[in-house]
Amino acid sequence: MSTQSDVILKQSLRKIEYPLCAKEALGRIVELICGRITSIKHMDLALDLMAEFIFYEVDRRGNKRPQIVTPLQELQLLEIMFEYFNSIPNEAARNSVFLSLFSGTTAMMRSGILSKLISIAVGVSSPVILLSASTWMQQLGCLSANSCKLAEALVHDYFYLIPNAKDRLKTLPDICPQFTANFLTAVAENYYLNSRKDKMFPPKILLEVITMWISENSSLCISAQQKQAALPPGAIAMEVTTPIAGLLRWCILAPLYNQESELYCHLHLALLNSILEIPQTVPAKAIYAQHTIVPISYVMYYVNDLKNQGLNSEQVLNDEKLQLALDRYAQAIQVALSMKAVYGHVDDLLNQLQHLPYNKLLNIVVNTHKRIK
């Protein structure tokens, strides 16, 4: 496409009222990104079309627009994007456009549109859009700020605003298990790590839904690893992070933060059952050792708090909440290591666990696996 034809294309799109011009622009973007012959020039033009005619971020001169789109325009744009993505039959082409629209450099700026689009896809069951969102999360990283922000937006929409979310979301793992698994990985990162007190613990309805999902589908946590994402030619697939370590952290730390809901017991059991059914691979790829180390520092914070309250060493060791947390930790480590589901520096994991206060089960687990090594 010549420079002159680029100018003509933009001029023709400018004659169409926003956001109706977005529909025509999306068609041209697909041609530029997914055509037989692609180039840096084609990609640059596609990015220009996205900024001006889809997201309304710049004017015809490339200057940032001072005004924002109205709620009605945003709703119209979402409808156009929803219908367009559902009309693209080729998964690789759909993912290519999705990844370009919400690239790592623009995703945070466009997070409002993205979260609303995915929220709609969850509500009206669009597996093709959810699958593209799943691929996007993997390529940017399920633990990245972008993925965690998307997860936070979905929690707001479906677990705070909607009272019967459990019924609405029951079938989400059947509609798109890959997206559900990646959502779980991201949402697990949003709790039991955050210093904001109002966001420290997951809402009860979210805990209920997650427990239900994993209890009823023991393979859900590794679903995103079971299917290779369809990517554009030359793209490198990023490693998938499962939600197992993050959700186990919830269960381990819950007693230390006085979160006494029995749901944590049920979730813990569901996660252990899930690990037991993970197919063994060489090398292992289900649980990253470094992620399983995270609870250690939080347990030690709790221990130091007890000591600061004047408790002696024996009283600390006899603390019921501490021992429950360590029991759950030990159970998780034992099952994960026995199933050969942990990858990374397992020796470092075992060494770090030895820094924790004495727990009979944890001591047996660590010593047993050290002997095996």
Side-chain angles (χ1 to χ4, degrees), residues 138 141-143 181-182 185-186 221 224-225 238-245 285-286 288 291 343:
Q138 289 173 205
C142 293
L143 300 178
N182 288 336
T185 301
C221 289
Q225 292 186 333
M238 298 293 103
E239 290 293 330
V240 179
T241 303
T242 72
I244 297 172
K285 60 178 183 177
Y288 184 37
H291 292 161
Y343 66 96

Side-chain angles (χ1 to χ4, degrees), residues 9 26 36 41 61 90 93 127 129 138 221 245 268 299 349 356 369:
L9 171 58
L26 279 168
R36 290 186 178 181
K41 185 180 178 183
R61 295 180 180 84
N90 185 284
I129 292 181
Q138 289 173 205
C221 289
H268 185 62
V299 174
L349 165 62
L356 289 168
H369 287 283

Side-chain angles (χ1 to χ4, degrees), residues 4-53:
Q4 184 176 1
S5 60
D6 294 358
V7 173
I8 294 173
L9 171 58
K10 291 180 179 180
Q11 288 176 342
S12 66
L13 289 173
R14 287 171 187 143
K15 295 176 182 178
I16 307 173
E17 186 178 355
Y18 183 84
L20 299 179
C21 57
K23 185 172 184 179
E24 181 68 22
L26 279 168
R28 297 306 180 95
I29 289 167
V30 172
E31 294 174 5
L32 291 166
I33 293 176
C34 307
R36 290 186 178 181
I37 301 176
T38 59
S39 65
I40 294 176
K41 185 180 178 183
H42 284 173
M43 180 57 72
D44 287 341
L45 176 58
L47 295 176
D48 288 345
L49 297 181
M50 293 174 197
E52 182 176 350
F53 300 104

Side-chain angles (χ1 to χ4, degrees), residues 105-145:
T105 56
T106 63
M108 198 59 73
M109 181 171 58
R110 298 169 180 173
S111 62
I113 293 291
L114 173 64
S115 61
K116 291 181 179 70
L117 178 63
I118 305 310
S119 185
I120 293 170
V122 170
V124 297
S125 301
S126 173
V128 295
I129 292 181
L130 293 177
L131 195 55
S132 288
S134 176
T135 300
W136 173 86
M137 294 178 81
Q138 289 173 205
Q139 291 304 101
L140 270 65
C142 293
L143 300 178
S144 68

Side-chain angles (χ1 to χ4, degrees), residues 15 19 30 36-37 59 100 105 120 141 144 153 194 210 257 259 265 285 311 315 317 354 363 370 373:
K15 295 176 182 178
V30 172
R36 290 186 178 181
I37 301 176
D59 60 21
S100 298
T105 56
I120 293 170
S144 68
N194 203 320
I210 291 175
Y257 290 96
Q259 299 300 298
C265 300
K285 60 178 183 177
L311 275 65
Q315 290 172 318
L317 288 178
Q354 289 184 304
N363 186 57
K370 273 187 166 290
K373 293 295 286 185

Side-chain angles (χ1 to χ4, degrees), residues 30 45 52 69 76 101 107 120 122 125 143 170 192 201 272 295 301 312 324 370:
V30 172
L45 176 58
E52 182 176 350
V69 296
Q76 291 172 322
L101 286 170
I120 293 170
V122 170
S125 301
L143 300 178
K170 181 169 182 158
Y192 283 97
F201 312 114
L272 296 182
Y301 292 152
N312 59 38
L324 176 56
K370 273 187 166 290

Side-chain angles (χ1 to χ4, degrees), residues 154-221:
L154 293 177
V155 169
H156 176 266
D157 287 353
Y158 283 94
F159 297 95
Y160 285 105
L161 297 183
I162 300 176
N164 60 339
K166 190 172 182 179
D167 295 331
R168 285 174 174 260
L169 297 174
K170 181 169 182 158
T171 59
L172 186 61
D174 300 320
I175 296 166
C176 191
Q178 297 91 343
F179 173 79
T180 309
N182 288 336
F183 165 75
L184 288 175
T185 301
V187 83
E189 195 71 2
N190 286 342
Y191 301 98
Y192 283 97
L193 288 177
N194 203 320
S195 59
R196 291 165 56 192
K197 295 298 182 183
D198 60 327
K199 296 291 184 183
M200 185 68 186
F201 312 114
K204 183 181 178 183
I205 184 63
L206 175 62
L207 190 58
E208 286 180 4
V209 169
I210 291 175
T211 303
M212 174 186 67
W213 281 346
I214 299 176
S215 298
E216 295 179 358
N217 185 349
S218 58
S219 64
L220 178 61
C221 289

